[in-house]
C-alpha cells in the first residue's frame, strides 16, 4: 500500500484489505453465534456500507435477509422543520431481529436518526454493526454493538467510504495525512546534485526563515576533522565518492534533530539521499508530530556541475572535489540512488523544481518565492 492523493488531500495506508477481511470474518462469527437459530434482517445503509455489507453477508451462515436504505432529510412544513426518512425501507421489520449495517459511525447523529426511524417499526430486537467507529467523535445515544475497528478521530476513505464521492472503490482504508497548517514547523529538503549550490542557498534560507540547518555532509566533515569514530567511518566512504550507509546517516539526523527544543523548522541539506532514508525520515518526523513541508530541488545540468565542482576544489580543500573520478562517481551515485528520492516527494505532492542556473541571487529569489507560498 502506498500513499495516495484524492483531490486536494493526501491519504496514508491505514487498514489493509487482509485486515478488513479478517475482521469481517470475526464479526460474522460473533453474529452467527449470537443469532444461532434465528433469522436476521440486515438493513444496510447506502452508499458507504455497500462493500462492507456485501463481504459481511458472504460470511453469514444463519438465515437472513438484507435490505438497503438511504438516509434522506428534507424540509417538511414550517412547523415540523427538517424531517428524516429512510428511503427504500420496504421490508416489514415488525417483530423481527434487525441489525443495521453501517460503514462508519462518527458523531453518531446519522445512526441515531436511523435507529429512531427503525424503532418505530417495532422490531423485536435492534442492533448496530459498523465496520468503523470513532469513539472520540461520538456524541450519539446509540453506541454500535458490533464494531470492526475503533479508530482515531481522523478522516478515512476507501472500502466504500468516500471523499467527495471518490475513493469508494479502494480495497483498503486510508487515513488523511495532516496538512502543514496543523503543525507549525517549516521543514525543507533542499535537494540537488553535488555542486548544485545547496550549501550556499541553505545559508540564505536559514538567515531569512530562521531554520536550523542539518547538513549531513557538514556534520560528517566536522567529525572527520575531529577524527571521531563516526568521522573515521564516514571518511572511508566519502573519500571514494560513496554514500555513508543509511543506518549511520539516519541515526545521525535523529540525534541532531533532537538537540533543538523548539525549532521553527529544519532545512535538510544533502539528506535524504536514498529512498530508504526518505522513508525513515518521514516515519521519524511523523513520530515527532511534524512532516516535510516541501522538497526544493535545484536543477543543474551535469556538465555545468562538473565545471562548478572543479572550480570549488580550488577553494574548498575537499578531497572529493579534487579528483575527477570521485566527482564522476558522486554524480553516478546521485543519478542511481538520489534521483529516485524526487519521486518519493512527488507522490506526496511536495516536490518543487527550481531552476539552478543563473546568479546566486537569482536562484535565492526563486527559492524564497516557493518558500513564501507554504
Ligand atoms: P455521523 O457523524 O456518525 O453522523 O456520520 C455521518 C456520515 O459522515 C457517515 O455516515 C459517513 O457517510 C460520513 N463520514 C463520517 N466520517 C467519515 C470518514 O472518516 N470518512 C468518510 N466518510 C465519513
Ligand atoms: Mg454512511
Amino acid at each position: 500500500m502506498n500513499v495516495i492523493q484524492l483531490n486536494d488531500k493526501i491519504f496514508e495506508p491505514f487498514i489493509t484489505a487482509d485486515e478488513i477481511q479478517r475482521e469481517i470474518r470475526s464479526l460474522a462469527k460473533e453474529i452467527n453465534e449470537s443469532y444461532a437459530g434465528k433469522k436476521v434482517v440486515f438493513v444496510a445503509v447506502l452508499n458507504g456500507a455497500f462493500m462492507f455489507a456485501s463481504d459481511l453477508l458472504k460470511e453469514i451462515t444463519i438465515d437472513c435477509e438484507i435490505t438497503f436504505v438511504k438516509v434522506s432529510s428534507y424540509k417538511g412544513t414550517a412547523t415540523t422543520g427538517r424531517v428524516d426518512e429512510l428511503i427504500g425501507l420496504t421490508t416489514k421489520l415488525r417483530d423481527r431481529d434487525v441489525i443495521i449495517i453501517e460503514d462508519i459511525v462518527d458523531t453518531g447523529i446519522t445512526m441515531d436518526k436511523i435507529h429512531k426511524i427503525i424503532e418505530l417499526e417495532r422490531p423485536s430486537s435492534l442492533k448496530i454493526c459498523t465496520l468503523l467507529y470513532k469513539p472520540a467523535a461520538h456524541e450519539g445515544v446509540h453506541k454500535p454493538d458490533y464494531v470492526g475497528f475503533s479508530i482515531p478521530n481522523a478522516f478515512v476513505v476507501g472500502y466504500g467510504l468516500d471523499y467527495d464521492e471518490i475513493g469508494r472503490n479502494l480495497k483498503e482504508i486510508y487515513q488523511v495525512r495532516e496538512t502543514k497548517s496543523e503543525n507549525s514547523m517549516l521543514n525543507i529538503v533542499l535537494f540537488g546534485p553535488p555542486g548544485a549550490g545547496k550549501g550556499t542557498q541553505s545559508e540564505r534560507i536559514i538567515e531569512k526563515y530562521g531554520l536550523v540547518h542539518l547538513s549531513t555532509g557538514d556534520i560528517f566533515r566536522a567529525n572527520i576533522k575531529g577524527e571521531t569514530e563516526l568521522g573515521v567511518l564516514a571518511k572511508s566512504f566519502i573519500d571514494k565518492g560513496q554514500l555513508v550507509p543509511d543506518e549511520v546517516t539516519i541515526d545521525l539526523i535523529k540525534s541532531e534533530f533532537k538537540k533543538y527544543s523548539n525549532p521553527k523548522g529544519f532545512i535538510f541539506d544533502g539528506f535524504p539521499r536514498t529512498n530508504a532514508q526518505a522513508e525513515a525520515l518521514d516515519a521519524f518526523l511523523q513520530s515527532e508530530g511534524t512532516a516535510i513541508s516541501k522538497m526544493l530541488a535545484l536543477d543543474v545540468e551535469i556538465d555545468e556541475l562538473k565545471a562548478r565542482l572543479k572550480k570549488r576544489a580550488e577553494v574548498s580543500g575537499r578531497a572529493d572535489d579534487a579528483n575527477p573520478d570521485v566527482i564522476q562517481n558522486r554524480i553516478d551515485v546521485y543519478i542511481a540512488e538520489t534521483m529516485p528520492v524526487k519521486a518519493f516527494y512527488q507522490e506526496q505532492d511536495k516536490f518543487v523544481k527550481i531552476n539552478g542556473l543563473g546568479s546566486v541571487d537569482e536562484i535565492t529569489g526563486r527559492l524564497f518565492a516557493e518558500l513564501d507560498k507554504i
Side-chain angles (χ1 to χ4, degrees):
M1 275 172 91
N2 284 316
V3 165
I4 54 166
Q5 176 151 14
L6 302 177
N7 289 339
D8 60 328
K9 290 205 185 323
I10 305 283
F11 289 87
E12 291 175 345
F14 185 46
I15 309 176
T16 66
D18 281 349
E19 284 163 347
I20 296 171
Q21 297 305 326
R22 200 179 318 134
E23 188 54 39
I24 288 177
R25 283 194 292 275
S26 117
L27 278 175
K29 187 164 178 271
E30 233 185 294
I31 293 172
N32 288 330
E33 284 167 8
S34 314
Y35 289 81
K38 293 187 178 163
K39 184 170 175 178
V40 172
V41 185
F42 290 101
V43 178
V45 185
L46 293 174
N47 293 332
F50 77 97
M51 215 180 257
F52 174 45
S54 165
D55 285 344
L56 181 71
L57 265 279
K58 288 177 216 162
E59 304 292 334
I60 295 293
T61 50
I62 52 169
D63 280 350
C64 66
E65 285 177 30
I66 184 162
T67 185
F68 295 86
V69 297
K70 237 181 151 140
V71 190
S72 157
S73 125
Y74 62 93
K75 188 116 180 51
T77 63
T79 45
T80 52
R82 296 205 77 80
V83 178
D84 299 305
E85 67 170 2
L86 284 186
I87 300 175
L89 188 57
T90 48
T91 310
K92 294 276 165 277
L93 302 180
R94 174 102 195 234
D95 297 332
R96 304 192 65 180
D97 292 307
V98 177
I99 300 180
I100 303 168
I101 303 183
E102 251 292 26
D103 48 332
I104 188 161
V105 175
D106 187 320
T107 63
I109 292 167
T110 311
M111 183 49 75
D112 278 0
K113 289 177 181 173
I114 298 169
H115 198 280
K116 195 169 143 200
I117 297 171
I118 294 184
E119 254 192 333
L120 291 173
E121 306 282 317
R122 293 201 272 155
S124 57
S125 71
L126 180 56
K127 301 261 166 170
I128 300 165
C129 174
T130 185
L131 180 66
L132 304 167
Y133 176 44
K134 296 181 186 170
H138 196 254
E139 322 167 344
V141 178
H142 300 285
K143 289 207 173 113
D145 304 281
Y146 301 97
V147 174
F149 301 91
S150 286
I151 62 171
N153 193 5
F155 194 82
V156 292
V157 284
Y159 197 74
L161 292 111
D162 70 306
Y163 172 49
D164 279 349
E165 290 307 323
I166 54 174
R168 292 197 196 273
N169 55 316
L170 298 162
K171 285 191 198 69
E172 314 87 2
I173 294 171
Y174 293 79
Q175 191 174 58
V176 75
R177 168 175 289 172
E178 272 190 26
T179 51
K180 238 268 19 272
S181 59
E182 288 164 68
N183 83 76
S184 54
M185 268 165 86
L186 179 63
N187 294 315
I188 300 298
V189 174
L190 190 62
F191 191 77
K198 296 189 294 290
T200 311
Q201 296 299 339
S202 288
E203 280 172 29
R204 296 175 164 214
I205 295 174
I206 295 152
E207 201 181 319
K208 175 151 185 221
Y209 296 90
L211 305 179
V212 177
H213 187 205
L214 282 190
S215 159
T216 45
D218 285 354
I219 302 167
F220 286 137
R221 279 186 289 276
N223 277 278
I224 292 171
K225 207 163 162 216
E227 294 176 354
T228 66
E229 204 180 319
L230 175 66
V232 174
L233 177 73
K235 190 175 188 325
S236 63
F237 294 96
I238 293 175
D239 281 356
K240 286 181 268 178
Q242 292 169 355
L243 295 182
V244 177
D246 285 343
E247 318 81 76
V248 180
T249 312
I250 292 162
D251 285 349
L252 176 71
I253 283 286
K254 288 183 187 173
S255 67
E256 284 294 316
F257 184 99
K258 287 181 192 273
K259 283 184 190 163
Y260 301 87
S261 61
N262 211 354
K264 280 195 184 156
F266 290 86
I267 177 157
F268 295 93
D269 163 6
F271 178 92
R273 257 184 153 93
T274 63
N275 268 341
Q277 290 181 2
E279 277 162 32
L281 180 63
D282 257 19
F284 172 65
L285 291 180
Q286 197 180 8
S287 72
E288 295 287 323
T290 185
I292 291 296
S293 317
K294 276 248 146 71
M295 163 185 266
L296 301 178
L298 293 169
D299 192 46
V300 185
E301 286 185 7
I302 305 290
D303 286 344
E304 165 76 13
L305 289 178
K306 289 186 186 166
R308 285 193 197 175
L309 287 172
K310 219 171 129 201
K311 207 161 152 227
R312 184 168 82 182
E314 292 164 15
V315 289
S316 74
R318 282 171 53 170
D320 59 343
D321 282 349
N323 180 335
D325 289 340
V326 172
I327 290 180
Q328 186 58 49
N329 197 27
R330 285 163 65 197
I331 291 173
D332 290 345
V333 169
Y334 173 78
I335 292 170
E337 297 192 49
T338 308
M339 293 257 269
V341 179
K342 279 188 193 177
F344 183 88
Y345 291 99
Q346 246 157 356
E347 258 179 44
Q348 299 183 16
D349 203 25
K350 290 180 178 171
F351 173 81
V352 181
K353 185 157 135 179
I354 306 282
N355 179 359
L357 287 183
S359 70
V360 174
D361 283 344
E362 278 167 343
I363 300 167
T364 307
R366 290 172 202 147
L367 288 165
F368 284 1
E370 280 305 326
L371 287 164
D372 289 336
K373 281 192 211 160
I374 300 173

